[in-house]
Amino acid sequence: MRSGDWDCRRHEDVPHEGGPPEELFHADHIDDTPLFQAIYDRFREGVPWADTWFINRAIELLDAGQYPVWQDCETETDVYRRCEALESVYENMAQNGCLHYTERTEPIERSFDYVGAREQEIVVDIGRDGAPLLVSGKHRLCLARVLKLDTVPCCVLVRHADWMATRRAVAEVRRRPWTHPDLLDLSPGRGRSGYHS
């Protein structure tokens, strides 16, 4: 839980130290990001990865000496290996939906580190009004949207203090079947929460 205005700040006002280039991953809506467009073009339109702006720009940036650009890619070969990995994730999600880390990973291969395991999920913060704010998991969320999945499992990292007050009030009532994904665990007879993609 955290109070303050962190959930209302414009993206431009948030400090960005290192990390991948904003031009590849940021937009006001995930569907407007170059990453989403590349994934959409590849899986919905059949465009080869090499013909997407995202991949060409990632390679240009690597060639210019910028790092990190995309995950741990350091070379053009790494970029295309990452594309192959996304193909595999897409096929799995097309068959099984978007699964929790523990559902898609054999026990012997799972991270026993709490943070390491959470990094394998779609992670969100919850703003004061209940809005989910994407922290990580862009690739899985983009794939889920391209596949038109209704919900995706996610891990909540931080909730705004005002939203926690809302959750406490809801928990006290416990009669009404709430529909907000971050209130489902408080509704009688409801299971796991998941966010609409």
Side-chain angles (χ1 to χ4, degrees), residues 134-166:
L134 185 63
V135 174
S136 67
K138 295 180 288 292
H139 298 84
R140 295 185 75 74
L141 183 58
C142 288
L143 290 167
R145 292 187 66 75
V146 165
L147 286 163
K148 298 183 178 180
L149 301 180
D150 290 333
T151 61
V152 295
C154 68
C155 174
V156 175
L157 185 61
V158 177
R159 289 181 176 99
H160 194 280
D162 292 354
W163 182 248
M164 284 303 296
T166 299

Side-chain angles (χ1 to χ4, degrees), residues 102-177:
T102 55
E103 296 171 315
R104 67 178 189 268
T105 309
E106 293 296 324
I108 197 162
E109 296 175 6
R110 290 183 199 149
S111 172
F112 290 100
D113 170 41
Y114 181 81
V115 173
R118 295 306 171 268
E119 288 175 343
Q120 305 304 314
E121 299 283 10
I122 296 171
V123 179
V124 297
D125 290 341
I126 308 292
R128 69 189 67 214
D129 60 357
L133 307 169
L134 185 63
V135 174
S136 67
K138 295 180 288 292
H139 298 84
R140 295 185 75 74
L141 183 58
C142 288
L143 290 167
R145 292 187 66 75
V146 165
L147 286 163
K148 298 183 178 180
L149 301 180
D150 290 333
T151 61
V152 295
C154 68
C155 174
V156 175
L157 185 61
V158 177
R159 289 181 176 99
H160 194 280
D162 292 354
W163 182 248
M164 284 303 296
T166 299
R167 281 181 53 86
R168 283 188 203 97
V170 166
E172 289 175 14
V173 174
R174 278 200 134 341
R175 285 182 297 236
R176 185 173 160 191

Side-chain angles (χ1 to χ4, degrees), residues 19-22 24-25 54-55 57-74 79:
E22 293 287 305
L24 296 179
F25 298 99
F54 177 89
I55 295 302
R57 184 63 179 145
I59 292 168
E60 285 174 11
L61 291 168
L62 284 172
D63 288 346
Q66 184 163 346
Y67 179 82
V69 171
W70 189 28
Q71 301 288 333
D72 294 326
C73 297
E74 295 182 11
V79 168

Side-chain angles (χ1 to χ4, degrees), residues 17-37:
E17 313 251 342
E22 293 287 305
E23 68 181 285
L24 296 179
F25 298 99
H26 177 71
D28 288 337
H29 192 273
I30 195 150
D31 290 2
D32 298 326
T33 63
L35 173 65
F36 177 85
Q37 192 58 56

